[in-house]
Amino acid sequence: MTLSGIESKERSNSPGTQKRRWDNLDQGLIIIGLLALLNLILHLIFNGNYSFFRDELSYLEDARRLDWGFVDHPWLTPLIGSLAHLLFGDSVWGLRLFPALATSGVIFLTGLTVRELGGGRFAQGLAALAVLVSPIFLGFGVLFQSAPFEQLLWTGACYFMVKILKRDDPKWWPWVGLLIGLSANNKYSIFFFVFGLGLALLLTPARKYLLTRWFWLGALLGLLILLPNLIWQIQHNFVSFDYTRSINARDVSIGRADGFLPEQFWMITNLFAVPIWLVGLYYFIFKEKRYRALGLQFLIVLAVFIVMRGRSYYLSPAYPVLLAGGAYLWEKWLANRRVIKPLWLSALALTGLLFVPATLPVFPVGSDGFKSASGVNDTFKEMVGWEELVAETANIYRGLSPQEQANTAILANNYGEAGAIDLYGPAYGLPQAISPVNSYYYWSQNRLKATTYIVLGSRPEDATELSASCGKLEQIVPRFANRYNVKNEESHYSIYLCRNPKISLEQAWPSLKRYG
């Protein structure tokens, strides 16, 4: 190598040159990408530690019976569940990979929204980190439900709304329509977003965008995507609206909506993220008036959920865009206060670490850590004992004569039990479950002629009612217990054997129909 070549190589490796290379990289994208990756890695490490949650068992059954709609939700999440089954079989880890990817997508989209607003690397990192360490986003990255996909689609729609409002360019409306259409096929709560956004636009000069052909193209696209589910709802007399009213009434009656406002400040977002989204609300409504519709939309949806007494997490998809706006403004306010920036980021990160044991399945089931974590997050308790319940049911079933087995049905009183029987039961030679709950009510109707029923999910106090309908009733298991002795919903129930019912289940079925 020549002397000039050596000198050139030394210059290329000099600290000054390396710094310029780093400066030339898109540091903001790297930061938000790494935070999204960190979220994914955390969930990949811990998500497979516990068994399925009862809602996941229901979604798995939906995934095996794909349709354009179900009583308790539309078709998108079951379709993703079907993909998970195709790729990973009945793997807990494989199923939960998809909500982990969804929450990582929310983190990345939040950072992109900050970039669109004009924020630098600190603002992008602050907003993305605030999503990463907020309990609701960490927790929903564990559960295969419609909520994490709703958060992703709602955040994406807000990102494109920022593009429309900032650039004064309505050509992004088809993207908004696409995401709203997909979200409507995932969870019907997106209609609150649509209502809030539509009213907010009408109340601001941004109403002009409603008169463009791009808006109507986006609306048409969203409607076309929704159409198959709409037809399904018409065919089923809009049963999902009855379901929603019933679940809301149940939640209100048992106090699940009582903490709606306080929980916005400590459960939905990290405590150190509260100043970010509050400033974001101020920024959109008062500081930068072209974005006012985004701030008003949040307030409108907040008011609707307060009036309707919704659960606190219903509003969670509305926060990422506020965090983006707040991070952008805080970056400007803290431009000359270099000490505060790392302190704030450190506080967010440290409090996020404190939330990890309460939101991710970190501790072994039955350990002291598990007991403490499940005392804060009772979801963990409901991830224990499903296969044992099926094994217990199989022991009862095997104790019957072959002739009686041929006329035996397993009647589950909740969708978790029914889903567990259908998932693990084939390995034990069990028939599919029947249940009067949600979509199972329809799926079970051609299997109601049995003369013997193994009844799951009944309390001992239900024995009088069961005795009235059974010719012979036996309490086979007084209280079901899992091997870890974790007290959960199933541990309150008994298992009964009902023989020679006085009223056929076929006759009684319409009166048993319920939502859960």
Side-chain angles (χ1 to χ4, degrees):
M1 182 180 290
T2 64
L3 181 60
S4 60
I6 295 173
E7 290 173 346
S8 175
K9 184 177 181 180
E10 288 176 347
R11 284 196 301 271
S12 67
N13 291 324
S14 67
T17 302
Q18 291 175 355
K19 183 178 184 303
R20 284 193 295 274
R21 285 177 178 171
W22 168 248
D23 290 340
N24 289 333
L25 292 173
D26 196 326
Q27 298 170 27
L29 270 182
I30 293 173
I31 290 169
I32 62 177
L34 288 174
L35 289 171
L37 181 61
L38 174 60
N39 174 79
L40 182 60
I41 290 172
L42 282 172
H43 286 92
L44 292 182
I45 292 172
F46 296 114
N47 274 8
N49 283 355
Y50 304 162
S51 185
F52 295 107
F53 181 56
R54 66 175 63 252
D55 290 14
E56 293 175 317
L57 291 167
S58 176
Y59 279 110
L60 280 173
E61 186 61 26
D62 295 339
R64 290 189 285 268
R65 303 170 181 265
L66 286 179
D67 201 346
W68 288 116
F70 301 88
V71 168
D72 43 345
H73 44 251
W75 54 264
L76 183 59
T77 301
L79 179 64
I80 298 171
S82 181
L83 175 62
H85 182 268
L86 179 66
L87 295 175
F88 304 107
D90 296 323
S91 163
V92 176
W93 180 92
L95 185 69
R96 292 177 181 166
L97 170 64
F98 290 87
L101 287 169
T103 51
S104 290
V106 174
I107 292 167
F108 195 76
L109 273 172
T110 304
L112 289 183
T113 305
V114 179
R115 288 167 60 83
E116 188 64 29
L117 293 171
R121 64 185 182 187
F122 171 74
Q124 293 172 49
L126 180 66
L129 181 62
V131 175
L132 169 62
V133 300
S134 290
I136 201 70
F137 295 101
L138 267 176
F140 275 140
V142 175
L143 295 173
F144 186 85
Q145 295 177 317
S146 57
F149 307 113
E150 177 193 36
Q151 292 168 344
L152 176 65
L153 294 166
W154 192 325
T155 303
C158 286
Y159 168 69
F160 286 107
M161 281 306 307
V162 168
K163 281 182 171 289
I164 291 171
L165 297 171
K166 178 186 177 181
R167 304 182 185 195
D168 192 24
D169 186 354
K171 73 179 181 183
W172 300 100
W173 269 120
W175 286 100
V176 177
L178 171 67
L179 293 170
I180 288 175
L182 288 173
S183 192
N185 282 294
N186 175 67
K187 195 173 182 184
Y188 296 120
S189 53
I190 190 64
F191 292 119
F192 294 111
F193 169 92
V194 173
F195 172 76
L197 179 62
L199 183 56
L201 289 171
L202 288 172
L203 294 173
T204 64
R207 70 179 71 90
K208 66 181 182 180
Y209 299 118
L210 300 176
L211 301 175
T212 66
R213 62 186 177 93
W214 293 108
F215 167 77
W216 292 105
L217 182 60
L220 179 61
L221 179 59
L223 184 60
L224 287 174
I225 295 172
L226 177 61
L227 188 59
N229 179 253
L230 180 60
I231 294 172
W232 185 93
Q233 288 292 347
I234 293 170
Q235 292 171 339
H236 291 78
N237 299 313
F238 291 95
V239 65
S240 294
F241 292 95
D242 293 335
Y243 166 84
T244 301
R245 283 194 294 268
S246 174
I247 294 302
N248 180 251
R250 179 205 66 185
D251 288 347
V252 171
S253 68
I254 62 178
R256 286 183 175 176
D258 291 351
F260 181 86
L261 276 177
E263 288 178 3
Q264 304 305 313
F265 295 90
W266 67 266
M267 190 184 82
I268 305 304
T269 59
N270 186 304
L271 185 62
F272 286 95
V274 171
I276 307 175
W277 67 259
L278 284 176
V279 166
L281 187 60
Y282 161 78
Y283 171 70
F284 286 140
I285 293 180
F286 299 108
K287 189 72 175 176
E288 188 59 72
K289 295 182 179 179
R290 60 179 161 172
Y291 299 128
R292 181 169 288 175
L294 293 173
L296 290 178
Q297 174 207 24
F298 175 84
L299 294 177
I300 291 167
V301 178
L302 171 66
V304 169
F305 283 141
I306 290 174
V307 171
M308 293 184 60
R309 301 198 65 188
R311 296 179 66 176
S312 58
Y313 75 86
Y314 291 176
L315 194 59
S316 63
Y319 282 96
V321 69
L322 293 188
L323 291 169
Y328 169 76
L329 195 52
W330 273 114
E331 183 179 58
K332 292 194 171 300
W333 287 349
L334 299 177
N336 298 318
R337 298 178 181 272
R338 296 185 178 181
V339 176
I340 296 179
K341 291 181 180 180
L343 288 176
W344 197 351
L345 293 172
S346 298
L348 270 173
L350 288 173
T351 52
L353 284 175
L354 294 176
F355 285 129
V356 165
T359 51
L360 301 182
V362 174
F363 300 108
V365 177
S367 67
D368 290 339
F370 175 86
K371 293 174 184 176
S372 298
S374 59
V376 177
N377 183 356
D378 61 4
T379 299
F380 293 155
K381 296 178 183 178
E382 306 303 326
M383 297 178 177
V384 178
W386 293 112
E387 191 164 4
E388 293 165 85
L389 176 65
V390 177
E392 190 76 66
T393 305
N395 287 335
I396 299 170
Y397 183 77
R398 288 168 183 161
L400 305 175
S401 68
Q403 294 79 9
E404 195 169 17
Q405 285 181 10
N407 292 288
T408 295
I410 300 171
L411 174 60
N413 277 312
N414 68 58
Y415 54 72
E417 295 162 349
I421 292 294
D422 287 353
L423 177 64
Y424 299 115
Y428 292 90
L430 293 178
Q432 285 187 310
I434 61 174
S435 178
V437 181
N438 300 346
S439 293
Y440 270 100
Y441 174 83
Y442 300 101
W443 298 335
S444 305
Q445 288 183 354
N446 61 350
R447 292 180 281 122
L448 301 177
K449 295 182 179 180
T451 56
T452 300
Y453 301 99
I454 300 173
V455 184
L456 308 178
S458 290
R459 302 175 190 272
E461 51 265 35
D462 299 329
T464 302
E465 182 179 347
L466 285 171
S467 296
S469 61
C470 292
K472 181 181 179 182
L473 181 69
E474 299 174 65
Q475 187 186 55
I476 307 299
V477 178
R479 294 279 188 183
F480 172 72
N482 54 71
R483 61 192 170 105
Y484 299 101
N485 202 29
V486 171
K487 303 298 181 183
N488 57 19
E489 186 173 334
E490 297 308 311
S491 65
H492 296 296
Y493 296 144
S494 306
I495 302 178
Y496 291 91
L497 189 62
C498 173
R499 287 186 167 101
N500 302 318
K502 298 174 183 177
I503 302 172
S504 73
L505 207 57
E506 200 169 19
Q507 292 174 297
W509 203 241
S511 65
L512 297 176
K513 180 181 180 180
R514 61 188 178 84
Y515 303 116

